[in-house]
Structure formats: structure tokens, C-alpha cells
Amino acid sequence: MDRDRGTLLQAMPADHAEHLLAIPASRSTPLLRRCTALATRARVDLMVTSRPADCKELAGVLTELASWEGAHLDEPDPTMLVLAAAALQDLRERCGEAQQMALGAAIAAVLRVLHAAMR
């Protein structure tokens, strides 16, 4: 299916293809809000219990966010971009060694997307 979409996008004028790839704020804002909440909860869990938090849900959100292209975000909510980036940065700094290995690469990938969108 991705191959068919790629063929279709190549056959279209560039401006129409970019429109199809655009991620509207109605889709990005709720996911950024969810990412912020999950990263904050994971940080609190680490601080309060001093043990790794269960981050399966956060990992799923990070996977989707990392698949985005910052340039394809169509008028993202600037507040949510900043809040999500700050929450992820803070979580990454507070993660223990084992959890940092598990989430570190995903957090770094999402931070690259968010920073690109902020430019």
C-alpha cells in the first residue's frame, strides 16, 4: 500500500502531493497533547517510585510521532509543540540507564521532528 501511495504521489504535481502528506492540526494536536501527558506521567513515576515507569503507551505515541516529517505538519499548535518537546527532553534527562536505552532513540527521533516543526 505504501508503494502504491508513493507511485501516486510521484505522478501528482508537487503542491498537490504535499497537501496529501500534510498532517492537519486536528490530528497533530491531540497526539502532541497525549505525548506531553505520557512523558510527564513517566517522569513523575520515575521521581516518586524510583523505578522505571511502564512506558508502552508512550513508546507507541513516540513511534507515530517519529514517523512524521516536521515540514508536513500543517499549522501545528505551537504551544503543544513546545510542551511536548520540553516534556520529552526532561524525561530523557531523568531516565535511568536501562530505560534511556529503551526510549532514548525514540525520544531523540521525536525531538528532531518537533524541532524541525518549530523552525
Side-chain angles (χ1 to χ4, degrees):
M1 184 158 97
D2 286 336
R3 188 173 34 194
D4 294 339
R5 184 176 180 198
T7 304
L8 177 65
L9 291 174
Q10 288 175 353
M12 291 183 178
D15 60 335
H16 189 62
E18 285 296 317
H19 177 70
L20 289 178
L21 291 173
I23 300 166
S26 62
R27 180 172 169 218
S28 65
T29 300
L31 194 59
L32 290 169
R33 186 174 291 123
R34 185 100 184 114
C35 178
T36 302
L38 291 170
T40 302
R41 182 174 26 174
R43 179 184 174 268
V44 169
D45 287 350
L46 286 170
M47 291 175 60
V48 172
T49 63
S50 298
R51 62 181 172 83
D54 181 15
C55 294
K56 290 177 190 169
E57 191 175 0
L58 175 59
V61 169
L62 292 176
T63 299
E64 183 172 348
L65 287 172
S67 73
W68 292 359
E69 294 284 335
H72 292 151
L73 289 170
D74 186 24
E75 298 184 26
D77 182 327
T79 303
M80 291 313 306
L81 283 173
V82 171
L83 288 174
L88 289 173
Q89 181 68 36
D90 192 49
L91 176 62
R92 184 170 69 172
E93 290 171 2
R94 296 190 184 271
C95 277
E97 194 75 25
Q99 194 152 21
Q100 194 170 31
M101 289 176 61
L103 287 177
I107 290 173
V110 172
L111 286 172
R112 282 191 296 274
V113 170
L114 297 179
H115 290 155
M118 285 187 243
R119 288 188 200 121

